[in-house]
Amino acid sequence: MLAAGTASAASSGACPSATVQYRIVGADGNVVGADWTSQGGLHLWDTAPGTVEVRLAPGQTVGDGCTYPVSLAEYTTEGPNWYTSGHQTLVDKATVHLTAADIPGAQDAKRSWQKLTVKAPDCYGQIDLYGDDVTYDGGTGEGHGPAPYEPGGVVTPYHLIAAWNGGEKPCTPATPESPGGPSPSKPVPSTPTTPSGSTPPKEPTTPPTTPAKTPPTPPTTPDVPPQQSVPPTTPQPTPSESTPPLAETGSSAPVGLIAGGAALVLAVGAGTVYAAGRSRRS
């Protein structure tokens, strides 16, 4: 246990969190909107980002063995913004792993960078850029996490860098009309008349409701943690050399010595009994 703790601390110290930069590129490879940035927030992008280039921000120093996963995930939602997004369903996800090779240098103005691409949404949706490789789809098991949900307060993905919400129409189709055209209008029931001399009861007044508090916007940060290494397997305990085994069987066990000692004890006991019998006879 002490050895495992030391290894974990050393790994964490060798690979600190790193700052990610990103930008949107179009199908022609040209930059869409702002160039490289680390600014976070919801509604940061005016249009849904189909492809996002990512890199580690310049001026950082990371170890050669450090890896930083970055993911882009698309969801369908129930509304065009975070407050009305409701239940979200994962549609598409892409992940890349950034290393020291993804830090720009003085001669990297025209080099290519790693890209994340997801499907373009065709209805209300949300697209998240975040710093891990977990799939936040509500699934269980390793590699899965809870799906985002507002007003349920499930603020995922974790390590969120930036996000987009939007869309022009609901993702569920409208109820189709009947084959024979629109349904005929139902007759409106007549309002019963109040007998003369009677006073209709007053309708109960509804107390004013307290306006609901605005839910918090998911926090964002450009600093992402490194890829977690697999912890070492705990070795099985071995028997202590100072503690003898409870029993031994087999060719190496001292069976002959034990049997000889037992026979000697029996012989001595028998001789003692025989001598006692003779002394009584005499």
Side-chain angles (χ1 to χ4, degrees):
M1 295 298 291
L2 291 176
T6 303
S8 176
S11 174
S12 176
C15 295
S17 296
T19 302
V20 173
Q21 286 186 324
Y22 58 89
R23 65 184 182 183
I24 303 174
V25 294
D28 55 1
N30 293 325
V31 178
V32 178
D35 204 352
W36 292 110
T37 181
S38 295
Q39 179 185 0
L42 291 169
H43 297 282
L44 178 67
W45 295 307
D46 294 333
T47 58
T51 299
V52 179
E53 281 187 327
V54 290
R55 70 183 188 184
L56 297 180
Q60 301 181 92
T61 301
V62 299
D64 292 336
C66 299
T67 302
Y68 300 88
V70 179
S71 299
L72 189 69
E74 179 203 349
Y75 302 84
T76 58
T77 63
E78 297 178 355
N81 55 57
W82 168 249
Y83 309 116
T84 61
S85 59
H87 291 280
Q88 300 195 25
T89 302
L90 181 69
V91 175
D92 199 7
K93 172 179 174 282
T95 300
V96 297
H97 293 79
L98 303 180
T99 65
D102 296 292
I103 299 178
Q107 306 299 324
D108 291 339
K110 295 186 178 298
R111 66 166 285 186
S112 59
W113 305 95
Q114 296 201 58
K115 295 179 176 62
L116 295 160
T117 302
V118 294
K119 294 172 56 179
D122 55 4
C123 58
Y124 294 151
Q126 176 171 309
I127 296 179
D128 295 322
L129 180 69
Y130 58 97
D132 61 51
D133 57 357
V134 177
T135 302
Y136 295 95
D137 58 353
T140 58
E142 185 177 358
H144 295 268
Y149 175 48
E150 178 60 40
V154 182
V155 186
T156 54
Y158 304 129
H159 313 121
L160 184 65
I161 301 172
W164 170 89
N165 284 98
E168 301 295 333
K169 62 179 181 179
C171 297
T172 54
T175 304
E177 295 182 353
S178 59
S183 302
S185 58
K186 295 181 180 180
V188 179
S190 59
T191 304
T193 57
T194 304
S196 58
S198 62
T199 303
K202 293 183 179 180
E203 296 183 357
T205 57
T206 303
T209 57
T210 304
K213 295 182 179 179
T214 303
T217 302
T220 57
T221 175
D223 299 329
V224 301
Q227 179 78 46
Q228 296 297 321
S229 59
V230 179
T233 304
T234 304
Q236 296 295 326
T238 57
S240 173
E241 296 180 358
S242 61
T243 304
L246 295 178
E248 287 186 303
T249 59
S251 60
S252 63
V255 177
L257 293 177
I258 295 174
L264 179 60
V265 172
L266 291 174
V268 172
T272 303
V273 172
Y274 176 74
R278 292 192 59 184
S279 63
R280 283 197 296 270
R281 291 192 189 97
S282 61

